[in-house]
Amino acid sequence: MARTLTVGIAGLGAIGLHLARALDAGVDGLKLVAVAARDHAKAQANLAGFRNRPAIVDIAGLAEADIVVEAAPAAIFEEVAKAAIARGRIFVPSSCGALLPRMHLVEEARKTGARIIVPTGALLGLDAVRAAAEGEVASVTIETRKPPRGLVGAPYLEQHGIDVLAVKDEKTLVFKGNAYDAAQGFPANVNVAAALALAGIGPQRTMIEIWADPHVTRNTHTIRVEAAAARLTMTIENVPSEENPRTGKITPLSILACLRGLTSTLKVGS
Ligand SMILES: NC(=O)C1=CN([C@@H]2O[C@H](COP(=O)(O)OP(=O)(O)OC[C@H]3O[C@@H](n4cnc5c(N)ncnc54)[C@H](OP(=O)(O)O)[C@@H]3O)[C@@H](O)[C@H]2O)C=CC1
Ligand SMILES: O=C([O-])CC(=O)C(=O)O
């Protein structure tokens, strides 16, 4: 029988708290043992009803677990990643946009025996994108449409004086460029583009359009891939979570599915 893997989670927000609750409800082969939170009193309150309350630890303490899930602001991505990688753990990042300018972490992981497993997150179809990228790929694009409030606070908008909340009638293109630049300009909004880039042809060649669209209620992503083996066109329409409208409700579910795949006997999808 496969051994149980222990899990630590950094951040107890829209992703982390939902994932923690799901693990506490019981998942074969996985045991939540630790969480790291900015506000310990809030974390204590959030964990009050848990059947098996995980320890509240600092970031370094998370790396006692076999799997470290990062579900925190991108600003502390590197601290979480380094702690997990130094101890040779399985590191599962949510803020995967922050990985793009830090690809040296992959080399560090190679040395320590750690693994970095980027979940599909709020996106879809990365199995097909990875398969296509084993062959020739001509282009990969992603069009992201979000309700304006789902883009508020992005540094790119502030630098360019774009007030998305003033977008009331017509959908407005606020960014067009590659996934690398998008991840810098929208660190809390387009992690999906980073995951797509890592699955396919890289952050320089993966192109993204970001639209502020007052007519959508869901965070909507359409991927188009033109490859020698297949043409892919896929759309996902994510219900924003109550806690954080930038984050689709499917994200913690996707990470849970990813973690199950690390221990399950039957695994579906590549
Ligand atoms: N890969 C993907 O498809 C997706 C990725 N994301 C990304 O995932 C990350 C998490 O998203 P989400 O859960 O919605 O974010 P939230 O803002 O809802 O939650 C983040 C949590 O991290 C906590 N936190 C802040 N600072 C620290 C710290 N120093 N140590 C530990 N915890 C801390 C916050 O606490 P407090 O509230 O007290 O500040 C909060 O509970 C973000 O970077 C987001 O952009 C989001 C959606 C999809
Ligand atoms: O990619 C992200 O950061 C979040 C997102 O678009 C979504 O949840 O749909």
Side-chain angles (χ1 to χ4, degrees):
M1 220 174 96
R3 79 179 172 102
T4 294
L5 296 179
T6 56
V7 182
I9 304 176
L12 277 185
I15 296 174
L17 186 55
H18 286 256
L19 178 63
R21 285 189 185 129
L23 291 171
D24 185 61
V27 177
D28 277 350
L30 297 169
K31 183 174 176 11
L32 177 66
V33 293
V35 298
R38 189 186 56 84
D39 178 339
H40 285 208
K42 190 165 122 190
Q44 287 284 10
N46 279 328
L47 298 172
F50 275 46
R51 292 193 310 190
N52 295 297
R53 241 182 275 180
I56 300 175
V57 299
D58 59 14
I59 300 290
L62 279 182
E64 293 294 327
D66 300 310
I67 303 172
V68 175
V69 178
E70 175 274 324
I76 66 158
F77 170 88
E78 187 160 332
E79 187 185 351
V80 182
K82 280 191 161 167
I85 290 169
R87 297 282 302 275
R89 304 308 190 201
I90 297 174
F91 175 56
V92 179
S94 300
S95 310
C96 50
L99 181 58
L100 298 187
R102 298 179 176 85
M103 290 305 283
H104 61 273
L105 292 172
V106 179
E107 196 43 49
E108 284 174 34
R110 215 183 311 278
K111 288 182 196 146
T112 62
R115 298 185 72 205
I116 303 173
I117 298 188
V118 175
T120 303
L123 202 55
L124 78 172
L126 296 189
D127 50 353
V129 176
R130 281 172 49 217
E134 293 287 351
E136 298 254 314
V137 178
S139 64
V140 178
T141 64
I142 174 168
E143 181 188 300
T144 287
R145 284 189 293 141
K146 291 197 175 191
R149 71 191 183 108
L151 294 167
V152 168
Y156 180 92
L157 299 176
E158 281 165 17
Q159 284 152 17
H160 291 80
I162 301 169
D163 175 10
V164 273
L165 293 180
V167 175
K168 298 233 186 288
D169 301 318
E170 288 297 309
K171 68 172 187 172
T172 302
L173 180 66
V174 296
F175 178 88
K176 184 173 179 164
N178 67 29
Y180 189 91
D181 293 337
Q184 311 305 304
F186 297 82
N189 315 84
V190 291
N191 292 287
V192 285
L196 176 65
L198 292 166
I201 57 175
Q204 303 295 339
R205 287 180 65 208
T206 302
M207 305 309 288
I208 175 165
E209 286 186 3
I210 303 173
W211 293 80
D213 189 341
H215 303 295
V216 296
T217 53
R218 297 183 175 208
N219 298 334
T220 305
H221 309 289
T222 299
I223 300 173
R224 296 186 181 85
V225 177
E226 196 60 53
R231 173 177 300 140
L232 315 178
T233 309
M234 299 176 280
T235 297
I236 187 166
E237 299 176 32
N238 291 328
V239 179
S241 55
E242 282 86 23
E243 300 87 347
N244 181 354
R246 292 180 290 265
T247 293
K249 284 187 174 192
I250 200 165
T251 316
L253 303 180
S254 170
I255 296 175
L256 178 60
C258 168
L259 298 188
R260 270 189 210 275
L262 296 174
T263 62
S264 61
T265 304
L266 172 66
K267 183 172 183 294
V268 180
S270 57

